[in-house]
Amino acid sequence: DTEVTQTPKHLVMGMTNKKSLKCEQHMGHRAMYWYKQKAKKPPELMFVYSYEKLSINESVPSRFSPECPNSSLLNLHLHALQPEDSALYLCASSQGFVRLPYNEQFFGPGTRLTVL
Amino acid sequence: SQQGEEDPQALSIQEGENATMNCSYKTSINNLQWYRQNSGRGLVHLILIRSNEREKHSGRLRVTLDTSKKSSSLLITASRAADTASYFCAPTAVTGNQFYFGTGTSLTVIP
């Protein structure tokens, strides 16, 4: 299974709502990533988990809260978002996050988030 | 951040023609990867070239790397309408395993 799944595909939420994005992979990968992508822009790295521990937080506002319950699952909890947070949120996984020369990432299809 | 700059930003060609896109980066790299993204979807890994390699092929794809010029190019030969997508380079810095995507080239192949 070389698939990364993300749910939901689409999400519309108000600025006072609390919601969560979910990501799952069963490739035995030990690194998982969250990216945010605005229209016609490259994906921007938000968080990296390595062996279920948060390794990188790219100065993301605290209204985004990542969680890695186990090696196959990655969540992104959303609270008090702003309209400018509307974007495509992509999850990815890779074999590892140590000094490996090979770090191909496998991406999910993304969650299209709209904040009203 | 270790971001690549891609050129051109947009490219439109006829089916059957070759498409070339270029990526320049700033610091020493471990490897450089190319990804494709169809509109509004996840990215798909195309090819990885290591810093000690100069050229690599995969099907209709040819990637070159010139570390002295800190640049890479992706050539798609005999393009097809299905190649219409955005293409991103992703240089991986020597200092870490993470990488950042370049600015992207939007390719349109006209049937």
Side-chain angles (χ1 to χ4, degrees):
Chain A
D1 183 1
T2 58
E3 190 180 14
V4 176
T5 59
Q6 288 189 245
T7 56
K9 290 184 180 178
H10 301 274
L11 178 62
V12 179
M13 60 186 291
M15 290 190 285
T16 58
N17 292 158
K18 285 185 181 181
K19 296 287 185 183
S20 296
L21 309 184
K22 296 185 184 301
C23 174
E24 190 167 3
Q25 58 88 15
H26 295 287
M27 293 177 277
H29 289 170
R30 302 313 299 269
M32 296 187 77
Y33 309 73
W34 280 116
Y35 290 88
K36 172 183 177 181
Q37 186 178 27
K38 303 283 268 186
K40 300 190 186 303
K41 296 289 187 183
E44 296 176 7
L45 185 66
M46 299 174 72
F47 303 104
V48 181
Y49 272 83
S50 177
Y51 293 83
E52 294 102 73
K53 288 185 168 38
L54 184 63
S55 294
I56 291 178
N57 176 342
E58 291 283 352
S59 302
V60 178
S62 59
R63 57 186 185 268
F64 295 91
S65 175
E67 177 196 19
C68 190
N70 60 55
S71 61
S72 299
L73 292 173
L74 186 66
N75 298 321
L76 186 62
H77 303 298
L78 314 172
H79 174 55
L81 294 194
Q82 304 296 311
E84 58 264 29
D85 296 322
S86 298
L88 180 68
Y89 288 84
L90 294 162
C91 172
S93 69
S94 68
Q95 285 184 326
F97 192 68
V98 193
R99 285 184 175 268
L100 293 174
Y102 179 74
N103 56 353
E104 171 188 357
Q105 292 187 17
F106 292 78
F107 280 80
T111 294
R112 177 74 60 187
L113 174 67
T114 302
V115 182
L116 300 175
Chain B
S1 63
Q2 168 66 46
Q3 189 179 46
E5 295 274 341
E6 292 187 58
D7 171 60
Q9 287 189 333
L11 180 60
S12 184
I13 60 174
Q14 295 291 134
E15 200 166 31
E17 293 180 339
N18 295 343
T20 300
M21 49 206 87
N22 305 295
C23 170
S24 59
Y25 55 90
K26 296 174 183 174
T27 65
S28 296
I29 60 169
N30 192 316
N31 64 53
L32 186 143
Q33 301 177 48
W34 286 89
Y35 285 77
R36 183 188 76 222
Q37 184 178 32
N38 291 90
S39 180
R41 299 185 60 81
L43 284 78
V44 175
H45 181 265
L46 294 177
I47 197 164
L48 178 152
I49 186 165
R50 294 186 172 82
S51 58
N52 61 353
E53 298 175 311
R54 292 297 166 257
E55 187 171 315
K56 203 161 183 181
H57 297 256
S58 177
R60 294 184 296 112
L61 305 180
R62 173 177 167 252
V63 169
T64 62
L65 179 65
D66 187 335
T67 53
S68 66
K69 295 181 179 178
K70 291 186 168 55
S71 68
S72 174
S73 67
L74 172 67
L75 168 68
I76 303 173
T77 60
S79 63
R80 305 166 182 168
D83 295 328
T84 295
S86 292
Y87 291 81
F88 296 95
C89 69
T92 302
V94 167
T95 54
N97 202 43
Q98 75 274 26
F99 59 84
Y100 301 91
F101 289 96
T103 48
T105 293
S106 176
L107 173 65
T108 301
V109 180
I110 303 166

